[in-house]
């Protein structure tokens, strides 16, 4: 398995290499340090870097839940009185006199939509022409963009990166031979979507140090909010001729520079916001900063003890966000020292987990998409919305919400398997911060205790002014689904303290709500209703046909009770609730399923689904966006996928007969049921196919992953080869540039390839469960449920693995051949073979070497 240690050599094969210009925001290169993100475009005469920061939001929302929410009891009465169907607002007949009422009460419309904002823009431009040759390489190993402008007598090399772990962006320009002048620019244009916002403000600190700030007024229980960009421009000396920094328009500062042969100049831009608080993760950077003189306005900013430079004595109120930005932009260390630290931090990221595959293309998908995660997530940051930390305009589709289905969880579903459990802290912080809203939703909508999760929330929001979707959000499954990563953290780490402090509160309250819901609304026959499948357009049907025993609800009610019970047992708490949950769990109906006379498997999307005509029953189940497509395998995790039970068998038959390249096209309706939905949508059966071991889908999955790449290898939610690029992207029409789509589904490449190499659902370690027999592969430091860290290699018919037991639990390794050997410290360990699974006891912090002969 030694080849895994050479990721530094392998990873350079997958760098993004751009020969020429890259001008469209949809195709831009994405860099980031976590909270700070950058969208980079290249022109023959310029590099343009649009900065985003996860907490730079206009978070005001004019919403009044007490009057906007349609209570559940009123919905039930309305359906009985009207005896009609209620569909989404955009499906209503405009001639309907009650259209406005239903649209307003059921559509969840925003009156003043929040949006993430551009934090600002960095530009480097020169007098190059359209034929100036430019080449760019983005090194995945250290998150650095290197652009070369090739002139007649020299080369200008620009290295740019978002410093890992800190909210600052660096540009270093180097001259080889004779190059022309270039200009460095920092700007924040006026808001392009709301002309009522105050203009940016420029303040000079020193001759070469300045800030640009912008303030968003308060309102609707959101405080006034200001963010600052501090720029430290180069100074003259050592072959650098740097002009005076000038104001250029009200929102722009600019400096002209020229470099002698062999000279370099560095430019630093730091970001700080009122919402940062006193971010301890930034303190190491501050320790290396220039100390400003104390003034009456900012007395004694902080004292850094020389003997312990990471220890600070500081009063938070004396360190304004502007001053913090200035400090971050003014390090005393050389650029070379800071860059070396940045490279080391990226090295630690890749050391956490890495792969080596015979299949170079799939290897590139994993590394490139995982690189996107590294640019977007870091501990302590503000939760990401659907636009991530990359924002090229001041308004984006869906307002950048956290859609609490896959659109939110996609940021975190790869965290545990790839050994980044710390990312779940970001998720847990959002969940716990939003608990008061979840509790209020449960009371206002249902009159129940516990928590209820609606469809969409915002990373920064008021506990008084929040929106609700009375139609699309009224999916009971969302509440249980939101708890899944919290429980998975414990499953993979066995960290009881974390579970107690970060996960159990929500897990308990979700189960409390489900118990109360079944008590209040459950019928004598055990039906769970009324509800809709997640974002399904059918809405509420007459007599609630299609709204009873919805498959997603049956899955998540059961899972929520299971998680709460297991968590309470592990923590030794809530015995009375444990009894209630056990009884309630018994009442959750099973998911009906079967195989028709044509050999097509089907699962019941709702109580009435089995009554449909056989052809329709099988077809609609297979092509349902949320109810079918393998949702109960992943992400629902209702079944493991490799079992022999009848439900798994029916699901496997469904997936085997699904065209993965067009999963939403129904043979019954002969049309695409969800136009505009990318094929790589998470419910497109990719991961379910892998878990169900549908071997004939290996090549289609590989093709899907490779088709979702732009010209130079960046990820795209749309397949260019299939002509799927929406006209809004091609036409550059306003905010619909869909820049958010280029960060939206990076997870699928990481998730799919990781699951091909290692799975551990149900507590069973599966090594290379979906990898071709004639291809070699290896991985390093993946995590498995039960508290294990696994490294393994497959060479021909031999699998070798090293399993580090972090908690001393019993290990279960799937081994259908029965040819299994395990040792620890050179001594053979006895393993029992149970139904194709090798079982052996472990001791915490011991490593077990396993060999499987296929």
């Amino acid at each position: 398995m030694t080849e895994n240690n050479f990721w530094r050599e392998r990873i350079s094969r997958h760098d993004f290499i751009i020969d020429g210009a890259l001008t469209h925001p949809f195709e831009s290169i994405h860099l980031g340090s976590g909270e700070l993100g950058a969208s980079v475009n290249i022109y023959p005469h310029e590099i343009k870097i649009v900065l985003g920061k996860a907490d730079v939001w206009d978070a005001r929302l004019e919403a009044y839940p007490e009057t906007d929410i349609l209570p559940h009891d009123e919905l039930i009465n309305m359906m009985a009185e009207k005896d009609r169907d209620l569909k989404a607002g955009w499906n209503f007949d405009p001639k309907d006199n009650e259209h406005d009422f239903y649209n307003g009460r059921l559509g969840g419309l925003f009156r003043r939509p929040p949006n993430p904002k551009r934090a600002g823009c960095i530009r480097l431009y020169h007098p190059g022409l359209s034929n100036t040759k430019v080449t760019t390489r983005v090194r995945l190993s250290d998150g650095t963009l290197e652009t070369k402008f090739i002139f007649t007598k020299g080369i200008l090399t620009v290295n740019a990166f978002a410093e890992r772990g800190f909210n600052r962006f660096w540009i270093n320009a180097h001259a080889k031979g004779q190059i022309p002048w270039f200009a460095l620019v920092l700007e924040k244009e006026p808001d392009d979507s709301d002309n009522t916002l105050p203009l940016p403000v420029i303040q000079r600190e020193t001759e070469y140090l300045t800030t640009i700030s912008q303030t968003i007024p308060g309102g609707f229980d959101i405080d006034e909010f200001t963010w600052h960009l501090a720029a430290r421009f180069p100074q003259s000396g050592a072959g650098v001729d740097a002009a005076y920094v000038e104001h250029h328009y009200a929102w722009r500062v600019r400096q002209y520079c020229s470099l002698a042969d062999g000279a370099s100049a560095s430019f630093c831009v730091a970001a700080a916001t009122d919402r940062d608080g006193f971010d301890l993760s930034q303190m190491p950077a501050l320790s290396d900063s220039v100390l400003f003189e104390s003034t009456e306005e900012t007395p004694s900013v902080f004292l850094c003890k020389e003997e312990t430079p990471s220890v600070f004595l500081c009063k938070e109120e004396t360190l304004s966000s502007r001053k913090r930005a200035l400090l971050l932009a003014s390090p005393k260390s050389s650029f070379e020292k800071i860059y070396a630290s940045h490279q080391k931090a990226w090295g630690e990221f890749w050391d956490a987990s890495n792969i080596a595959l015979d299949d170079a293309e799939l290897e590139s998908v994993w590394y490139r998409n995982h690189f996107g995660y590294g640019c977007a997530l870091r501990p302590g940051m503000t939760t990401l919305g659907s636009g991530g930390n990359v924002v090229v305009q001041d308004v984006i589709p869906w307002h950048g919400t956290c859609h609490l289905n896959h659109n939110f969880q996609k940021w975190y579903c790869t965290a545990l398997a790839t050994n980044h459990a710390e990312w779940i802290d970001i998720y847990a912080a959002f969940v716990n911060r939003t608990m008061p809203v979840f509790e209020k939703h449960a009371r206002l909508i249902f009159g129940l205790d516990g928590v209820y999760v609606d469809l969409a929330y915002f990373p920064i929001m008021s506990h008084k002014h929040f929106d609700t979707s009375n139609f699309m959000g009224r999916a009971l499954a969302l509440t249980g689904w939101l708890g899944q990563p919290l429980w998975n953290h414990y499953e993979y780490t066995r960290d009881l303290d974390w579970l107690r402090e970060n996960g159990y509160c929500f897990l308990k309250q979700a189960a409390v709500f489900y118990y109360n819901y079944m008590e209040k609304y459950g019928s004598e026959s055990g039906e769970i209703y009324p509800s809709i499948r997640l974002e399904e357009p059918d809405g509420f049907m007459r007599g609630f046909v299609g709204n009873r025993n919805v498959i997603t609800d049956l899955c998540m009610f059961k899972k929520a009770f299971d998680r709460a019970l297991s968590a309470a047992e592990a923590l030794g708490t809530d015995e009375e609730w444990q009894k209630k949950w056990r009884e309630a769990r018994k009442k959750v109906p099973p998911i009906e399923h079967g195989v028709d006379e044509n050999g097509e498997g089907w699962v019941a999307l709702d109580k009435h689904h089995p009554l449909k005509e056989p052809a329709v029953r099988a077809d609609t189940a297979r092509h349902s966006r949320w109810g079918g497509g393998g949702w109960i395998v992943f992400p629902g995790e209702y079944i493991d996928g490799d079992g022999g039970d009848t439900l798994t068998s029916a699901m496997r038959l469904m997936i085997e007969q699904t065209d993965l390249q067009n999963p939403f096209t129904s043979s019954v309706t002969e049309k695409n049921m969800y136009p505009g939905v990318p094929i790589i949508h998470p419910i497109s059966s990719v991961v379910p196919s892998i878990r169900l071991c549908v071997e004939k889908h290996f090549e289609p999955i590989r093709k899907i992953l490779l088709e979702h790449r732009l010209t130079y290898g960046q990820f795209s939610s749309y397949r260019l080869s299939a002509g799927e690029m929406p006209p809004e992207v091609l036409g550059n029409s306003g905010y619909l540039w869909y820049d958010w789509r280029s960060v939206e589904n990076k997870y699928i490449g990481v998730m799919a390839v990781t699951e091909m190499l290692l799975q551990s659902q149900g507590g069973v370690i599966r090594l290379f469960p979906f990898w071709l027999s004639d291809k070699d592969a290896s991985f390093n430091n993946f995590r498995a449920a039960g508290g294990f860290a696994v490294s393994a290699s497959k060479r021909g018919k031999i699998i070798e693995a090293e399993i580090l037991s972090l908690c001393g639990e019993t290990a279960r390794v799937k081994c259908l051949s029965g040819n299994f050997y395990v040792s620890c410290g050179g001594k053979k360990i006895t393993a029992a073979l149970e139904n194709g699974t090798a079982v052996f006891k472990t001791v915490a912090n011991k490593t077990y070497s396993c060999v499987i002969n296929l």
Side-chain angles (χ1 to χ4, degrees), residues 13 135 144 197 318 364 477 514 586 605 682 685 729 812:
R13 310 174 190 179
T135 63
T144 300
L197 293 181
T318 67
S364 74
Y514 278 167
K586 295 176 184 177
L605 303 183
S685 308
V729 171
R812 292 174 172 80

Side-chain angles (χ1 to χ4, degrees), residues 58 182 213 221 223 225 283 310 386 428 446 467 475 500 561 609 622 692 741 744 769:
D58 181 350
F182 60 88
S213 308
D221 206 38
D223 293 335
F225 166 67
M283 296 302 275
S310 62
S386 60
F446 306 96
D467 192 65
R500 182 182 297 106
F561 289 138
H609 187 81
R622 185 167 62 252
L692 288 161
R741 280 291 194 192
E744 185 198 22

Side-chain angles (χ1 to χ4, degrees), residues 371-401:
F371 173 75
Y373 272 93
C375 292
L377 296 169
R378 73 167 177 85
M381 64 179 289
T382 300
T383 310
L384 293 173
S386 60
N389 60 353
V390 179
V391 181
V392 300
Q393 292 177 290
D394 291 311
V395 60
I396 68 173
W398 314 118
H399 314 293
T401 60

Side-chain angles (χ1 to χ4, degrees), residues 246-309:
E246 61 178 344
H247 287 200
H248 187 235
Y249 300 126
W251 57 84
R252 180 183 297 158
V253 287
R254 179 176 65 182
Q255 180 192 55
Y256 287 98
C257 288
S258 61
L259 299 177
D261 182 19
S264 298
S266 62
F267 178 48
C268 179
V269 175
T273 73
D274 294 344
R275 291 173 178 148
D276 281 331
F278 200 68
D279 187 349
L280 294 179
S281 69
Q282 298 291 321
M283 296 302 275
L286 296 182
S287 71
D288 194 38
S289 298
V290 175
L291 293 177
F292 290 89
E293 297 291 334
S294 296
T295 65
E296 293 183 2
E297 181 181 335
T298 57
S300 186
V301 172
F302 65 83
L303 172 64
C304 174
K305 295 183 178 180
E306 293 184 1
E307 67 275 14
T308 54

Side-chain angles (χ1 to χ4, degrees), residues 656-806:
E656 285 177 345
Q657 298 182 53
T658 298
D659 179 1
L660 296 193
Q661 308 218 225
N662 199 5
F664 301 137
T665 299
S666 167
S667 60
V668 171
T669 60
E670 295 183 351
K671 67 179 181 179
N672 191 320
M673 298 171 68
Y674 298 94
V677 176
I679 297 303
I680 207 162
H681 193 285
I683 315 305
S684 64
S685 308
V686 170
V687 176
S689 289
I690 294 171
R691 289 197 176 183
L692 288 161
C693 298
V694 182
E695 294 182 0
K696 72 175 186 177
H697 283 175
F698 183 91
E699 284 303 323
I701 289 172
R702 184 180 186 276
K703 187 175 181 181
I704 286 169
L705 295 178
L706 299 183
E707 284 181 334
H708 285 265
R709 296 195 298 184
L710 296 166
T711 305
Y712 295 110
Q714 310 98 301
F715 177 82
S716 166
S717 288
Y718 296 99
R719 296 185 303 173
L720 271 68
S721 59
E724 289 180 356
M725 194 68 74
E728 293 85 354
V729 171
L730 298 175
N732 286 1
S733 58
Y735 75 93
L736 291 177
W737 269 352
Y738 276 77
D739 53 288
W740 68 287
R741 280 291 194 192
S742 54
V743 301
E744 185 198 22
N745 285 326
K746 288 182 184 294
Y747 89 93
I748 192 65
V750 180
M751 191 80 187
V753 175
T754 298
E755 295 245 340
M756 289 177 179
L757 306 179
L758 176 71
Q759 297 172 28
S760 62
Q761 63 273 17
V764 175
I765 296 172
R766 302 161 178 84
L767 298 169
F768 306 98
F770 197 73
W771 194 247
L772 296 178
S773 59
D774 60 343
K775 295 288 185 180
D776 292 344
S778 57
F779 61 86
N780 209 28
N781 290 337
F782 283 2
R783 278 187 180 258
F788 299 100
V790 184
S791 298
S793 67
K794 176 187 172 298
R795 299 286 180 263
K797 293 183 177 298
I798 303 296
I799 292 176
E800 296 180 285
E802 292 182 353
I803 300 176
L804 171 61
S805 176
L806 302 173

Side-chain angles (χ1 to χ4, degrees), residues 84 88-106:
R84 57 166 291 175
W90 52 82
N91 288 335
F92 280 107
D93 182 353
K95 299 177 182 178
D96 189 336
N97 293 330
E98 296 176 330
H99 170 73
D100 291 339
F101 172 76
Y102 289 126
N103 197 38
R105 298 293 297 278
L106 296 175

